[in-house]
Amino acid sequence: MPTVHCSNRDCQAPNDLGDRLCKTCQTPLLKRYLWSVGDWIKAYQPGELLLDRYLLVRPQVLLDTTPALGVDGPEEIPDHILPYQKLLPFRLNVPEVYDYFPSWDEEKDLSVWLLDYGPVPLDETGEPLHDRLLPSLGEMWEQASPLQQLTWLWQMIRLWQPLQRQGVVSSLLEFDWLRVQGPQIFLQQLQLDEHQFYETKYLAGVWESLLTNAHPAIADFCQTLWQRLKQGKIPHADYLLRVLDTGIQSLAEQYDFSYTVFALTDGGPSRDHNEDACFPVSETPIEGQQLANTMTLICDGVGGQEGGEIASQWVIDHLPIRIISKIQKQMNEPDQIRSFIQHLKEDIEEVNEQLNRRNDREERVERERMGTTLVMALADFQQFFLANVGDSRCYWLTKDSCKQVTVDDDVASREVRLGLMLYRHAVELPRSGALTQAVGLGPAGQLHPIIQRLIVPTDCLFLLCSDGFCDNNRVEQYWQDDFLPVLQGDRPVAEAVPRLIELANQVNGHDNVSVALMHCQISPSVPTPTPVSYKH
């Protein structure tokens, strides 16, 4: 009988695969199923335990039976694995490298690499529902809403240029590698390009079965899109992205979007004061569907002599006001969207500069300088904007997926993005969690906030939190018990957020904790959508 050890490092007791909670400490069990790449994996048979850790449960699928343990990692990352490392900012759609089996032959590359998709759908016995961990795009396409169908296409084109820069854009042309994880397209694996001349028109053959079997509401739009792709009349990825944005905007106008936002912060059981801060400060959730009434922020202060507390509150007091003053009623055009994203960046940089100057005036140096992490979200109907600096995080949760959206600005993530180490090796290093940037610690020219724009096609939750909540894999461990009830309508946001604060204090308890939930609910506003036409 296969066993999986508890992911709680203080426990690590063995449990049956079908168990949901650890029999010893009652922590929800993490079942990390991994996809393997490398021909040598074919030499093993299901049921074998590899490296005294990884159970081969079916061809190319392994289970980490000791998920609390770190990994050693290779001395050097090979060229065909480097793109995974460089594409860490696209973790919603690209797998992360989890571990590897070194080649036993010095003259041949017989290495096997293990890819992590995060939580995957499991049956009641604890085994994956799908042979390749995630369902294919082809099998999910026809049952999806028209908004979801266009969003999947949009996500693929959003990946085109980043993958092209890393020499792996041909991965998007392998139809069988296009998988679905909740509302996201997810690539099964990456492959190195054979040449440098891949064009978007190549997608016509890959997308043919999708565009010719699209939902009736977007059938004409997709048929025209397919014809223009075949004819080479869509010159580049940016053009295609604008076409899809136009179609998504026209379709989204036929949906009702509702966002409920609630945020709380707590000092925690082991700290004498709270250096976290959150926005909005409200005793009850706030509802809306546009930018001004969906904004939420989490800040986790850093710095000596209570400087972190000053910095985090400074950002909460000043950044929302600056942003709200520039918000338009609704953004429908690409120029409006680009302008708003630029404003977000400039506003974060200006607040950073004000804090930096204060640090200089007060002659704060090194660890005495006050700063803060920042994670901020705003929604405008189907558009979701996210900005982050530091290691406060955002997660995107649906009824069947739990995905971290942000990348921490810390030493471990830096080592990964530089292609030097695997993440699970890097986090074991001393000071791996040390921040590489935070708001206020230096001049604006040295600050690089990451700003993302996503499309929301289905009911979901966005969780924003400080590391006092997400440390020790708590989101992945508890998402089914503590987030699914909100999505299923069994627990209101006003009740869920205080429960999450209490949970963090119980299972972590080493830090201040801040949590913000943004609950998105979407429904068609008309019984039968008006067909969307191609306009470009």
Side-chain angles (χ1 to χ4, degrees):
M1 172 69 71
T3 60
V4 59
H5 291 251
C6 180
S7 59
N8 181 349
R9 289 200 174 194
D10 296 327
C11 176
Q12 298 192 51
N15 294 268
D16 294 335
L17 187 58
D19 292 339
R20 199 176 62 84
L21 302 176
C22 175
K23 295 172 182 175
T24 302
C25 71
Q26 298 301 298
T27 299
L29 294 175
L30 270 183
K31 294 163 187 173
R32 291 195 180 276
Y33 285 94
L34 309 165
W35 180 255
S36 60
V37 293
D39 290 340
W40 192 244
I41 193 65
K42 298 173 185 176
Y44 300 99
Q45 298 298 317
E48 289 191 65
L49 189 66
L50 311 181
L51 299 185
D52 294 323
R53 175 173 184 172
Y54 297 106
L55 177 68
L56 186 65
V57 296
R58 60 183 69 155
Q60 290 190 264
V61 174
L62 298 101
L63 170 69
D64 184 358
T65 63
T66 54
L69 302 184
V71 307
D72 291 333
E75 292 184 3
E76 184 176 354
I77 307 292
D79 289 345
H80 70 285
I81 297 298
L82 278 175
Y84 293 98
Q85 309 294 90
K86 305 282 188 178
L87 291 165
L88 184 63
F90 298 89
R91 65 193 326 158
L92 278 178
N93 313 103
V94 177
E96 298 176 40
V97 183
Y98 190 89
D99 200 357
Y100 86 119
F101 303 160
S103 175
W104 53 266
D105 188 329
E106 294 183 359
E107 297 183 0
K108 299 179 181 178
D109 181 9
L110 302 177
S111 301
V112 174
W113 297 85
L114 307 183
L115 306 182
D116 185 16
Y117 298 169
V120 299
L122 304 178
D123 61 24
E124 63 277 2
T125 69
E127 295 198 15
L129 279 173
H130 304 282
D131 287 342
R132 295 172 64 172
L133 297 181
L134 297 174
S136 70
L137 175 59
E139 62 187 297
M140 299 299 291
W141 180 259
E142 291 191 17
Q143 56 189 280
S145 72
L147 185 58
Q148 178 67 84
Q149 289 180 348
L150 287 187
T151 302
W152 282 331
L153 300 178
W154 182 89
Q155 289 172 0
M156 281 186 269
I157 298 307
R158 178 174 167 266
L159 288 169
W160 186 273
Q161 290 182 343
L163 267 61
Q164 197 166 49
R165 286 193 292 269
Q166 300 304 326
V168 290
V169 72
S170 58
S171 307
L172 289 170
L173 304 177
E174 296 288 339
F175 187 77
D176 199 39
W177 288 3
L178 300 177
R179 300 277 140 180
V180 168
Q181 190 165 37
Q184 282 95 36
I185 282 290
F186 200 84
L187 290 174
Q188 185 95 56
Q189 59 193 69
L190 300 177
Q191 69 178 6
L192 294 178
D193 294 342
E194 295 180 356
H195 55 78
Q196 299 178 348
F197 308 105
Y198 292 93
E199 301 177 27
T200 51
K201 67 179 181 181
Y202 292 3
L203 289 167
V206 181
W207 285 7
E208 180 176 3
S209 63
L210 305 178
L211 298 181
T212 56
N213 290 283
H215 189 281
I218 57 172
D220 290 345
F221 175 92
C222 288
Q223 186 66 27
T224 304
L225 176 61
W226 180 50
Q227 293 291 342
R228 293 181 69 84
L229 273 173
K230 279 201 308 179
Q231 296 163 3
K233 293 184 177 179
I234 295 182
H236 48 72
D238 281 343
Y239 185 97
L240 181 50
L241 204 59
R242 289 197 296 271
V243 169
L244 290 167
D245 255 322
T246 301
I248 288 170
Q249 178 61 43
S250 297
L251 189 62
E253 291 171 358
Q254 304 181 56
Y255 285 79
D256 291 324
F257 290 81
S258 173
Y259 291 89
T260 303
V261 176
F262 193 39
L264 287 177
T265 185
D266 186 81
S270 62
R271 296 295 178 92
D272 57 9
H273 67 286
N274 190 0
E275 294 194 342
D276 284 8
C278 63
F279 178 91
V281 179
S282 174
E283 295 182 357
T284 58
I286 295 173
E287 297 184 4
Q289 58 184 3
Q290 293 176 277
L291 296 166
N293 47 23
T294 61
M295 183 187 300
T296 184
L297 290 79
I298 296 290
C299 292
D300 182 356
V302 296
Q305 299 179 351
E306 300 186 358
E309 186 174 354
I310 296 170
S312 60
Q313 193 60 50
W314 176 274
V315 172
I316 294 297
D317 289 343
H318 292 84
L319 185 57
I321 295 172
R322 293 182 63 89
I323 293 172
I324 289 173
S325 69
K326 299 174 183 176
I327 287 175
Q328 303 177 43
K329 286 187 177 180
Q330 186 181 1
M331 291 177 295
N332 298 329
E333 301 298 329
D335 288 345
Q336 292 175 318
I337 295 168
R338 283 193 294 269
S339 176
F340 177 68
I341 290 174
Q342 182 62 28
H343 282 317
L344 284 182
K345 182 175 183 292
E346 291 170 355
D347 289 339
I348 294 170
E349 290 174 345
E350 178 57 31
V351 171
N352 174 88
E353 194 59 35
Q354 292 169 357
L355 271 173
N356 180 54
R357 287 196 295 263
R358 179 169 175 174
N359 276 320
D360 291 342
R361 286 196 307 271
E362 297 178 5
E363 298 182 346
R364 294 175 180 262
V365 295
E366 297 181 351
R367 293 190 179 183
E368 291 182 354
R369 291 183 75 83
M370 59 183 177
T372 182
T373 70
L374 163 71
V375 61
M376 174 178 64
L378 311 89
D380 182 64
F381 297 91
Q382 81 281 5
Q383 301 181 98
F384 179 85
F385 297 92
L386 178 66
N388 72 285
V389 177
D391 62 358
S392 293
R393 294 179 177 178
C394 176
Y395 291 81
W396 191 347
L397 304 112
T398 67
K399 60 182 177 62
D400 51 12
S401 65
C402 169
K403 295 290 290 184
Q404 181 182 336
V405 185
T406 51
V407 174
D408 296 342
D409 288 316
D410 62 8
V411 170
S413 297
R414 181 188 66 192
E415 296 298 287
V416 174
R417 295 179 66 175
L418 290 174
L420 300 176
M421 305 181 78
L422 303 186
Y423 183 76
R424 290 181 63 81
H425 184 199
V427 295
E428 299 295 322
L429 298 176
R431 293 188 56 78
S432 64
L435 296 181
T436 54
Q437 67 169 353
V439 177
L441 295 185
Q446 297 177 7
L447 188 75
H448 304 285
I450 303 301
I451 299 176
Q452 301 183 57
R453 172 177 169 259
L454 308 171
I455 302 296
V456 181
T458 187
D459 290 3
C460 62
L461 281 173
F462 288 100
L463 164 70
L464 280 65
C465 61
S466 61
D467 58 356
F469 182 85
C470 58
D471 276 353
N472 303 310
N473 300 307
R474 298 310 186 191
V475 179
E476 292 87 347
Q477 288 174 349
Y478 288 93
W479 74 280
Q480 290 182 310
D481 291 338
D482 288 274
F483 295 96
L484 285 187
V486 182
L487 286 165
Q488 294 165 348
D490 298 328
R491 184 178 299 161
V493 169
E495 179 184 329
V497 173
R499 286 174 63 110
L500 293 172
I501 295 283
E502 181 181 357
L503 172 67
N505 287 335
Q506 289 174 352
V507 299
N508 280 340
H510 61 284
D511 202 353
N512 311 141
V513 58
S514 297
V515 169
L517 278 186
M518 182 184 292
H519 185 197
C520 174
Q521 294 174 286
I522 304 175
S523 59
S525 56
V526 292
T528 304
T530 302
V532 174
S533 58
Y534 187 99
K535 299 175 184 177
H536 218 283

